[in-house]
Amino acid sequence: MSEGKIDTAFDVALFGEAMLLLVANEPGPLEHATGFHKRTAGAETNVAIGLARLGLKVGWASRLGTDSMGRSLLATMQAEGIDCSHVTCDATQRTGFQFKERVTDGSDPKVEYHRKGSAASQMGPADVDEPWLRSARHLHATGVFAAISETSLQAAQRTLQVMRAAGRTISFDPNLRPTLWSSPEVMRHQINELSRFADWVLPGMEEGVFLTGETSPEGVAGFYRARGAKLVVVKLGAQGAYFDSDVAGTGHVAGFPVAEVVDTVGAGDGFAVGVISALLAGRSVPDAVRRGAWIGARAVQVLGDTEGLPTRLELEQAGL
């Protein structure tokens, strides 16, 4: 996909934490659950898997323990065809994991994280291999990796600085995790500072209201456009998305109808997969947003975070 472009080894590079995800088999409070399905989780890894399934060359950098969870996660990522040469497996550290409720009413399931002090939270600027990073056409970053520790925030900042200096494109999904930040004010400040590096900013509407103080999709998009973003896509859930861009002006793309919402977690990551993959392929902004909305709609119809992410064939069969 890089013909005629800069000479790069990868389409997209990502830094972030993978966690083992244990989804309850039956609805109800987690403390009453007696059985769980094992899945993978992590905002950046969800996007990495989605992009790889569409045929992009993806590199993922992280840290894992050498425990069974870390071995499982590494094998899963490698099986998706993702370059994991910059994943450090550290026998002295443990891999993060999370539990997720099963819901049947379409609401957001409760998620319980066990990631404090995890292997990935030990990452810092020294873990950023700059030549490897620059070998990618594009960096996708989220607010999650920046939130897990002070050193991971420094690493996230470094990845953005390196790619901006190299003239690569950068996408950024705020992906707010309030429990990981010391205060809402710190979260707002740091997320908005990170967004300044990005060409494409992808906030959800609720996130956008918190981060910008604006109360409309137009206002949220305008906030980030005024700070240098070339494209802002504001996700509106079932209502689709609003975009504001340099090349395509402004517009609204309708959502795709969903018969039953099974699990809302991962929908935003699926949306990012659609937008990034389409833009890197040279598709128009409206087409990219439409693809994002379609993949996001698929994601909410399955139990895990990545099970709804399509293959290239499925994408082509849908005409997207």
Side-chain angles (χ1 to χ4, degrees), residues 79 83 87 108 111 123 150 204 208 289:
D83 179 272
V87 177
D108 293 341
V111 180
M123 292 178 74
E150 183 59 38
V289 177

Side-chain angles (χ1 to χ4, degrees), residues 10 14 52 57-61 74 77-78 80-87 132:
F10 299 106
L14 305 97
K57 294 179 181 178
V58 179
W60 170 60
L74 183 60
M77 298 299 282
Q78 290 172 330
E80 295 284 354
I82 294 164
D83 179 272
C84 297
S85 62
H86 283 66
V87 177
W132 177 83

Side-chain angles (χ1 to χ4, degrees), residues 23 33 38 115 124 159 164 171 178 191 194 208 222 243-244 254-255 291 304:
V23 186
K38 187 166 74 171
R115 70 197 310 180
T159 65
R164 169 53 69 91
S171 53
I191 293 292
L194 293 169
F243 65 85
D244 184 338
R291 183 185 290 187

Side-chain angles (χ1 to χ4, degrees), residues 57-256:
K57 294 179 181 178
V58 179
W60 170 60
S62 189
R63 282 180 175 265
L64 295 167
T66 57
D67 46 32
S68 62
M69 292 186 289
R71 296 195 301 272
S72 174
L73 290 166
L74 183 60
T76 296
M77 298 299 282
Q78 290 172 330
E80 295 284 354
I82 294 164
D83 179 272
C84 297
S85 62
H86 283 66
V87 177
T88 299
C89 297
D90 187 341
T92 69
Q93 303 293 332
R94 59 184 181 80
T95 305
F97 66 98
Q98 60 177 265
F99 292 101
K100 183 164 68 174
E101 278 185 349
R102 179 76 184 272
V103 296
T104 56
D105 60 0
S107 62
D108 293 341
K110 289 186 175 64
V111 180
E112 184 177 285
Y113 295 97
H114 296 267
R115 70 197 310 180
K116 187 173 179 62
S118 67
S121 73
Q122 309 303 311
M123 292 178 74
D127 290 285
V128 180
D129 182 334
E130 296 184 15
W132 177 83
L133 179 55
R134 285 192 296 267
S135 73
R137 296 171 59 196
H138 181 83
L139 171 69
H140 179 64
T142 86
V144 182
F145 179 54
I148 59 177
S149 70
E150 183 59 38
T151 55
S152 72
L153 172 59
Q154 294 167 8
Q157 292 166 337
R158 188 64 192 145
T159 65
L160 292 162
Q161 291 162 357
V162 168
M163 291 299 264
R164 169 53 69 91
R168 307 295 194 261
T169 52
I170 298 169
S171 53
F172 181 70
D173 185 339
N175 244 321
L176 301 184
R177 297 291 187 274
T179 58
L180 297 179
W181 293 98
S182 59
S183 73
E185 293 73 26
V186 169
M187 178 170 68
R188 181 187 293 113
H189 172 74
Q190 294 292 0
I191 293 292
N192 283 335
E193 286 301 299
L194 293 169
S195 74
R196 288 182 179 274
F197 290 92
D199 300 282
W200 314 332
V201 182
L202 310 172
M205 185 60 204
E206 187 175 342
E207 291 176 328
V209 171
F210 169 79
L211 290 167
T212 71
E214 301 288 344
T215 56
S216 68
E218 295 83 1
V220 171
F223 176 90
Y224 290 109
R225 290 278 282 130
R227 293 160 72 94
K230 294 175 179 150
L231 167 67
V232 183
V233 184
V234 183
K235 295 167 284 188
L236 305 174
Q239 283 69 52
Y242 171 83
F243 65 85
D244 184 338
S245 76
D246 278 356
V247 297
T250 62
H252 176 266
V253 170
F256 284 79

